[in-house]
Amino acid sequence: MKSILGVYNAPSPHWVGDGFPVRSMFSYQSHGKQLSPFLLLDYAGPTEFSSVDRPRGIGSHPHRGFETVTIVYEGEVAHRDSTGQGGVIGPGDVQWMTAGAGILHEEFHSEAFTRSGGMLEMVQLWVNLPVKDKMTAPGYQAILNRDIPAIALPDGAGTVRVIAGDYKGHAGPAHTFTPMNVWDLRLNQGGVCELSVPDGWNSALIVLRGTVLVNDSAIAREAQLVLLDRAGSTVSIEANNGAVALLLSGEPIDEPIVGQGPFVMNSQEEIVQAITDFNSGRFAQIPHN
């Protein structure tokens, strides 16, 4: 089994715009080498929003040098970016956006969710790009719930939704630039599963709901991160009650990480260039009807 390096509590929440109260489960400042290629994970909600007339969210903002992966559990999010892509993602859907050389992006509660109100729960994961792909053309993958394989775990333990990577021959729909697994686990009370993760890959379990026992040794509860060692090839999870968790594993990108705000590059000079390019209007604009 992969050794447990630590169990970490989420910090206090902060607001992103006026629509997303998030807890940052990890970032490259705290766990850069230990979680590469994953840079950051924000857990938004669960939060009950009242009905209003104007959509809450965050307006146009830039990214360069990485990808953002938004997974919705409850509620609806409308998005639009400078590649001309956009739409609404709801429960079970995933938005996988490649910022690459530079993208402008905005995210708001959908019109329907704004009018109805309700519970919002989602995560946003930042995935690094290797130096050879940092300046790739920006792009977008719309991954609907129905397109994500949901595989039953043995002995009725629950299901694993394969967003990226592979689980026992079931491939996830997401295209990735480096090898990784992004698995959305839905575990039944009392369910026990042993999952295979490649030796030498960085891995972490993020518990969103419920309580689990990991590797028969560590208890993790809602909004806690379990950091695993690179060495070893299995992780055991027992759900003390119904639980929802993300298991992330990936081949490390052992390259320098230099980030500032919405840009993640390999050097300070590249950060300065990203800021200059953005301020000079070299990022495309978001088309509005």
Side-chain angles (χ1 to χ4, degrees):
M1 287 186 180
K2 287 182 177 287
S3 298
I4 295 172
L5 300 179
V7 178
Y8 300 89
N9 296 321
S12 299
H14 64 276
W15 283 87
V16 176
D18 64 356
F20 306 106
V22 307
R23 290 170 283 182
S24 295
M25 302 298 299
F26 65 82
S27 73
Y28 57 90
Q29 286 96 345
S30 61
H31 296 96
K33 288 189 175 182
Q34 293 170 311
L35 278 177
S36 173
F38 308 108
L39 292 168
L40 173 151
L41 188 140
D42 280 346
Y43 178 27
T47 301
E48 184 80 27
F49 284 92
S50 60
S51 171
V52 291
D53 296 326
R54 182 186 62 83
R56 302 176 176 96
I58 180 169
S60 178
H61 57 282
H63 293 299
R64 173 179 280 181
F66 61 100
E67 302 182 285
T68 67
V69 181
T70 303
I71 307 168
V72 175
Y73 291 89
E74 293 191 75
E76 284 187 341
V77 179
H79 53 93
R80 188 158 42 189
D81 65 47
S82 52
T83 69
Q85 299 289 337
V88 174
I89 55 175
D93 298 337
V94 176
Q95 171 208 341
W96 196 298
M97 187 184 75
T98 302
I103 201 167
L104 295 180
H105 178 58
E106 63 182 31
E107 296 168 288
F108 289 92
H109 297 178
S110 72
E111 292 285 351
F113 184 77
T114 297
R115 291 192 301 270
S116 68
M119 188 69 69
L120 179 73
E121 183 181 17
M122 54 178 272
V123 302
Q124 186 169 94
L125 171 69
W126 289 15
V127 178
N128 202 9
L129 291 171
V131 63
K132 67 182 181 64
D133 296 312
K134 281 285 186 187
M135 298 296 285
T136 195
Y140 173 83
Q141 301 174 71
I143 303 173
L144 299 180
N145 181 42
R146 65 173 179 263
D147 299 323
I148 299 172
I151 315 305
L153 293 166
D155 302 318
T159 60
V160 52
R161 295 199 321 141
V162 187
I163 296 169
D166 181 274
Y167 172 76
K168 293 190 174 181
H170 299 274
H175 163 77
T176 66
F177 285 83
T178 59
M180 70 186 67
N181 293 316
V182 178
W183 294 346
D184 177 15
L185 305 176
R186 313 294 175 97
L187 304 175
N188 298 324
Q189 182 175 3
V192 180
C193 61
E194 187 170 287
L195 301 170
S196 296
V197 284
D199 184 38
W201 282 21
N202 287 329
S203 303
L205 182 75
I206 298 94
V207 180
L208 304 180
R209 305 179 202 163
T211 304
V212 300
L213 178 66
V214 184
N215 290 355
D216 298 319
S217 62
I219 294 175
R221 298 179 172 85
E222 176 186 329
Q224 288 191 319
L225 162 74
V226 182
L227 183 63
L228 302 167
D229 194 11
R230 286 190 186 186
S233 58
T234 60
V235 56
S236 171
I237 307 170
E238 178 181 349
N240 295 346
N241 45 32
V244 177
L246 279 173
L247 182 60
L248 307 177
S249 59
E251 183 177 84
I253 301 173
D254 288 326
E255 297 171 354
I257 299 173
V258 179
Q260 183 171 324
F263 308 124
V264 181
M265 303 301 290
N266 299 103
S267 69
Q268 187 60 39
E269 290 76 15
E270 290 172 330
I271 294 293
V272 171
Q273 187 63 55
I275 295 170
T276 299
D277 290 348
F278 171 65
N279 289 336
S280 301
R282 296 192 183 109
F283 286 33
Q285 297 301 305
I286 298 176
H288 290 82
N289 296 329

